[in-house]
Amino acid sequence: MTSRFTSTPTRRTVVKAAAATAVVAAPLVAGATAAVADSAPAPAFLHGVASGDPLPDGILLWTRVTPAPDAVPGSGKGPDTEVSWEIAEDKGFSRIVAQGRTTATAASDHTVKADVRGLRPATAYWYRFAAGTALSPVGRTLTAPATDAAAANVRFGVVSCSNWESGYFSPYRHLAARSDLDAVLHLGDYIYEYASGAYPEAKYVVRQHEPAHEILNLADYRTRHGKYKTDTDLQAMHHAHPVIAIWDDHEFANDAWSGGAENHTPGTEGDWVARVSAAKQAYFEWMPVRPSIAGTTYRRIRYGKLADLHLLDLRSFRSQQASVGSGKVDDPERTITGRAQLDWLKSGLSASNAAWQLVGTSVMISPVAFGALPAELTAPLAELLGLPKEGIAINVDQWDGYTDDRRELLGHLVDNGIKNTVFLTGDIHMAWANDVPVKAATYPLSKSAGTEFVVTSVTSDNLDEMLHVAPHTVSLVAAAAIKAANRHVKWVDMDSHGYGVLDVDAQRSQMDYYVVSDKRKQDATSAWTRSYRTLNGSQKAERVYSPVV
């Protein structure tokens, strides 16, 4: 085929490749973004590029083309536009290994995906797109090791909970600057659905959502995704690393379950099924994610014989959260995973020959009980942890509210001798390092089924922000009370923003926790704060006094 990339005269034979297109439309909307769109030549690549879901022989590439100034995300406007892509072994694109073309249309918001195969395992590649005379930014990506490879180590950036209005995405910028990551895991709440200023307990709006109203329909969700993809730090992270993402509730609405959500009012906000369908369509249009056979984000990615990464969807199939005092948290008829997904997870864990089982779970699996807490901490902790505000110590939105599924899963790990299971978690805007006890009440005399590393939020408000007090004040009291009442909790930081870096080798899995100086500043600095690891075969988390280098 004739190249659309006029800056690269040299071409090689195309390696086997499969291109899959998703085209979408959501308004970049107003302000500076609209000004850029109005002044930019058409077509243009205003939302960057991204890659995701690495395989030993392939990678998923993504971009969005703006074919005309008014063809902003969610608008449904703009002509069909031919988009070419190519992937190379070098940044100068002198060694092209695959190329193709597809058509971006308003039917899927002018987003494009190419599911490229025929690549070499554990290899860095560079990729780009073209439309007319416009060239996209160049992205770098990395394939996974061969399925049976004895990989020496794997290293992931780990993030969660990025509310646009709450601050700037400097954690993404700091991850983009690293050259040692195999991928970035995003554990959910990539976008938030609230109207501007409506985030619970919010004290301030650093920068305003678009659209300003709560997102409810397909155009709204496309618009919100499109706005996020204009952030330069977010773009930098996607340009530098493949991203492996799962969704949580805010990709739909707060505390979502299979039949509704806390932040959804039937009637005034339309039909829940239609809202979820729109949210999922926009998500798969705008994210470099392959949907599973079930059409959700639960899937498995392998990193040689070192690690299997099992990724969960804990919103699409779950029962409604238990009501306060109902006594239903132990009901075996209630589920957080759904039967098919839990069976898939158990089967995958049993069949795996990888040294480590990494489970991406958007909500915390470790149980949390509370001793005596000052009354003023009850309400904000309830908001963050999903607790009934009346103070009953059950986290009903997380695995604490679905104890039968947790009992079955942890029992499966113990009964089948499945070692080295590490749960990777986001959601609650705090950092934790936990053992995962089979029976919390008798721990540590009873067994630990694995460990859990929870990362804090990128920007979403945490305890002291909800209380509108200075950082690291009352949160210290709450953290001490939680540790005293939960002997499996090794550490909790309720008051920082940042990211984690998980390094896995044959001997241990270690999470290094990094915090940013001020989420309200675009130039926020980053610093290492703590590290915890679990040694091969130990099933316990222990503190480490320096990060992996």
Side-chain angles (χ1 to χ4, degrees), residues 133-149:
T133 60
L135 286 178
S136 76
V138 172
R140 179 189 178 277
T141 194
L142 185 66
T143 53
T147 301
D148 59 353

Side-chain angles (χ1 to χ4, degrees), residues 151-154 306 355-356 420 504-509 534-537:
N153 86 303
V154 61
L306 184 61
W356 294 91
N420 297 340
V504 181
D505 65 20
Q507 286 73 45
R508 54 94 187 105
S509 289
T534 176
L535 296 176
N536 188 332

Side-chain angles (χ1 to χ4, degrees), residues 357-444:
Q357 306 303 316
L358 309 178
V359 182
T361 169
S362 58
V363 297
M364 198 159 76
I365 193 167
S366 300
V368 180
F370 287 90
L373 278 176
E376 67 269 17
L377 298 185
T378 302
L381 275 174
E383 188 69 53
L384 288 170
L385 290 168
L387 299 170
K389 289 184 173 62
E390 287 81 354
I392 298 173
I394 296 294
N395 188 333
V396 295
D397 188 56
Q398 301 183 37
W399 291 78
D400 267 346
Y402 304 85
T403 61
D404 195 69
D405 277 359
R406 182 172 63 195
R407 176 199 54 77
E408 182 176 340
L409 175 57
L410 300 187
H412 180 78
L413 295 175
V414 172
D415 294 345
N416 291 274
I418 299 170
K419 304 293 185 183
N420 297 340
T421 302
V422 180
F423 294 92
L424 305 171
T425 309
D427 178 61
I428 53 175
H429 316 169
M430 308 175 193
W432 301 62
N434 305 323
D435 298 340
V436 183
V438 176
K439 295 181 179 179
T442 58
Y443 196 76

Side-chain angles (χ1 to χ4, degrees), residues 28 97 119 129 263 351 360 409 424 428 431 435 450 455-456 477 517:
L28 264 186
V97 297
L119 305 177
F129 296 83
N263 192 30
L409 175 57
L424 305 171
I428 53 175
D435 298 340
V455 294
T456 188
V477 177
S517 56

Side-chain angles (χ1 to χ4, degrees), residues 300-341:
R300 188 173 290 114
I301 296 176
R302 185 173 174 88
Y303 278 82
K305 290 184 178 180
L306 184 61
D308 272 335
L309 176 59
H310 312 264
L311 301 157
L312 303 184
D313 171 7
L314 299 182
R315 294 296 167 182
S316 296
F317 312 107
R318 70 155 72 197
S319 307
Q320 186 173 10
Q321 293 84 350
S323 58
V324 177
S326 67
K328 291 184 177 180
V329 295
D330 298 324
D331 185 350
E333 298 302 315
R334 298 179 64 259
T335 180
I336 190 171
T337 60
R339 184 73 259 164
Q341 183 177 197

Side-chain angles (χ1 to χ4, degrees), residues 15-87:
V15 176
K16 174 187 173 186
T21 303
V23 239
V24 311
L28 264 186
V29 263
T33 303
V36 170
D38 289 340
S39 62
F45 294 94
L46 304 179
H47 301 87
V49 299
S51 68
D53 283 6
L55 301 172
D57 70 338
I59 197 73
L60 186 69
L61 306 181
W62 175 93
T63 194
R64 200 261 181 183
V65 64
T66 301
D70 63 345
V72 294
S75 67
K77 297 179 180 179
D80 293 358
T81 303
E82 185 180 84
V83 179
S84 301
W85 58 267
E86 61 183 1
I87 187 166

Side-chain angles (χ1 to χ4, degrees), residues 246-262:
I246 56 176
W247 57 45
D248 193 28
D249 52 341
H250 291 294
E251 282 86 353
F252 311 104
N254 184 56
D255 285 358
W257 58 285
S258 59
E262 178 276 332

Side-chain angles (χ1 to χ4, degrees), residues 125 167 188 243 342 386 469 483 501 541:
Y125 291 95
V243 170
L342 186 56
V469 298
K483 288 186 65 179
V501 174

